[in-house]
Amino acid sequence: MLKDKIISSFFRKSNIGKFSKLIKKNSLLKIPYKFLSQKMISYDFPIHLFIETTNICNLQCKFCARSGNKFKIGNMDFNLFKKIIDESNQYGPRTFSLHLFGEPLLTKNLFEIAKYIKKINKDNTIFLTTNGTLLNKKMSQLIIKSHIDKISISFPAANKNTYEKITGFDYLETVEKNILDLIKLKKEKNSSRPIIYLRMVLSKDNINEKEIFKNKWKNKPVILEIRAAHNFGGYRPKSSLRKNKTKRYPCYHLWLSPAIHWNGDVSICCDDWGKKTVLGNLKNQTMHQIWNSKKIKQYRKFHLKGDYHKVPLCEKCDVWTMYEDIFFNWQKK
């Protein structure tokens, strides 16, 4: 349990993206990084879960897997959600990202969900990724009150016209005001949470707006992240802005962070839009059973052997490039 508390605290307080960049720049850190990463692996219950509270969204971003795809929309039943959190508590504190393919602030009982996570275990960590359009003052107050640890606001552009071109809506100024109000409210309440991340997703439409984005926020108490759009496991075309890596390695998702869709389906990865790698369903199984199923064990073996084409979602995926390899070569033989 002490190890789990330390890991949860690390996720809660650390800038994971910055930590990952540091590893990439310093080869001497790769060995301890692999040891530490493997210490985070739990075969009892994953250390980090993506939970889709809703798959409804109020934007139509061009680079998203939702674009052009048909899907069944819905919200996660609260009793199903409680079942997940209750089971997690058997294994110590965990980290929960309350987002997947929808806008989480559209979830009617989102803050009841967040409060339940902290009620079950105060050391649990909560992440929230949002487009920020609904992040009004009332919503910001509830986010602070619910002890959400980190919030990441996605920016498809830094220019008003580009934002509308990519998303289909003119919400940029609204989002910017919402963030400034959240910063102000945090200061008024002397609250350290949530840590605010602003993430710009680069595409061919906004590549010239990086500096505009940086200059707008450089003196604000936020953490900036700029990354190229990924291809959602091959559902979207691969971005020419994403750097190619010469040698592929196993993806951390299969050992650290699966995804739970709103209807209870569990996938190996938060990019499994079309549910190509569903492992089971939590309405009639436990997470422990699914996390130790024959299917995921086989998928892990395929990754360690380099047989990525044998896993339906993974053959064309580029998400694995976001973090460094967590395995030693001898483990992949």
Side-chain angles (χ1 to χ4, degrees):
M1 290 293 186
L2 177 61
K3 182 192 79 169
D4 295 321
K5 284 187 177 182
I6 293 171
I7 292 171
S8 183
S9 178
F10 172 76
F11 276 115
R12 187 161 56 249
K13 298 176 182 178
S14 302
N15 182 344
I16 305 299
K18 188 175 181 180
F19 182 73
S20 183
K21 286 180 181 178
L22 183 64
I23 301 299
K24 291 177 182 178
K25 290 179 180 178
N26 192 333
S27 59
L28 293 176
L29 293 175
K30 289 187 178 182
I31 292 176
Y33 166 77
K34 290 180 181 182
F35 275 116
L36 290 171
S37 297
Q38 291 185 39
K39 286 292 183 183
M40 293 184 183
I41 295 172
S42 169
Y43 293 109
D44 290 323
F45 194 97
I47 198 69
H48 178 229
L49 279 175
F50 289 89
I51 300 181
E52 186 176 63
T53 57
T54 183
N55 70 341
I56 303 168
C57 190
N58 59 339
L59 296 184
Q60 299 172 2
C61 299
K62 290 167 65 175
F63 55 78
C64 182
R66 298 174 65 94
S67 179
N69 286 312
K70 293 181 180 180
F71 53 92
K72 184 178 180 180
I73 62 172
N75 302 289
M76 180 171 284
D77 179 77
F78 189 63
N79 288 326
L80 174 59
F81 174 81
K82 286 174 67 177
K83 179 187 176 186
I84 298 165
I85 306 305
D86 289 345
E87 184 188 351
S88 77
N89 198 41
Q90 299 175 40
Y91 306 106
R94 290 298 190 260
T95 301
F96 301 94
S97 290
L98 302 182
H99 54 267
L100 199 55
F101 294 111
E103 168 49 52
L105 297 187
L106 286 168
T107 309
K108 291 181 180 179
N109 59 347
L110 177 65
F111 300 106
E112 187 181 358
I113 285 170
K115 287 177 182 177
Y116 192 78
I117 291 174
K118 293 292 187 178
K119 176 186 174 183
I120 289 297
N121 192 323
K122 63 181 177 59
D123 292 317
N124 282 334
T125 299
I126 304 174
F127 294 170
L128 199 64
T129 294
T130 171
N131 58 42
T133 58
L134 303 173
L135 190 63
N136 55 34
K137 290 181 180 179
K138 181 180 178 181
M139 198 73 77
S140 292
Q141 288 174 340
L142 289 169
I143 285 171
I144 293 172
K145 189 177 180 180
S146 303
H147 304 296
I148 288 172
D149 297 285
K150 294 183 179 182
I151 184 168
S152 178
I153 296 101
S154 300
F155 276 83
N159 174 278
K160 183 178 178 179
N161 292 332
T162 311
Y163 186 98
E164 186 172 3
K165 177 182 176 182
I166 292 174
T167 68
F169 297 91
D170 179 16
Y171 287 149
L172 179 60
E173 291 177 356
T174 299
V175 174
E176 292 175 339
K177 181 182 181 301
N178 289 346
I179 295 166
L180 293 174
D181 286 341
L182 175 58
I183 292 170
K184 182 180 178 182
L185 191 61
K186 273 185 64 180
K187 187 175 181 180
E188 289 173 357
K189 293 186 175 296
N190 194 27
S191 176
S192 61
R193 293 183 288 188
I195 298 172
I196 303 171
Y197 288 76
L198 305 184
R199 178 182 297 166
M200 185 174 185
V201 182
L202 291 183
S203 65
K204 62 181 182 180
D205 296 307
N206 65 14
I207 186 62
N208 297 320
E209 298 178 15
K210 284 194 296 183
E211 294 306 315
I212 298 173
F213 178 69
K214 288 179 182 178
N215 290 331
K216 277 186 179 182
W217 300 102
K218 64 180 179 181
N219 295 320
K220 301 293 189 298
V222 298
I223 297 170
L224 300 183
E225 294 182 331
I226 299 176
R227 61 173 65 168
H230 54 76
N231 70 354
F232 289 93
Y235 290 107
R236 304 297 297 163
K238 186 172 182 179
S239 171
S240 59
L241 303 175
R242 185 171 283 277
K243 294 180 180 179
N244 290 321
K245 292 202 174 186
T246 54
K247 189 175 181 181
R248 187 164 178 180
Y249 44 80
C251 180
Y252 71 96
H253 274 288
L254 285 84
W255 284 268
L256 294 171
S257 55
I260 304 174
H261 298 266
W262 66 270
N263 67 342
D265 284 338
V266 178
S267 297
I268 61 171
C269 175
C270 61
D271 273 8
D272 193 3
W273 167 255
K275 299 184 180 181
K276 291 182 178 180
T277 54
V278 170
L279 304 166
N281 189 287
L282 288 169
K283 289 179 180 177
N284 49 43
Q285 294 171 279
T286 66
M287 190 67 220
H288 177 80
Q289 290 171 334
I290 292 172
W291 199 231
N292 288 274
S293 64
K294 289 182 179 179
K295 184 178 281 190
I296 194 166
K297 286 179 179 178
Q298 186 62 65
Y299 285 164
R300 288 173 184 146
K301 286 181 182 179
F302 286 148
H303 266 243
L304 288 171
K305 290 180 179 180
D307 293 332
Y308 305 106
H309 63 284
K310 293 183 179 180
V311 185
L313 181 68
C314 303
E315 183 176 7
K316 298 178 181 179
C317 182
D318 63 4
V319 173
W320 60 275
T321 63
M322 294 173 65
Y323 296 97
E324 288 297 294
D325 189 357
I326 67 172
F327 293 104
F328 297 98
N329 287 333
W330 63 267
Q331 292 174 307
K332 291 181 276 188
K333 293 181 180 180

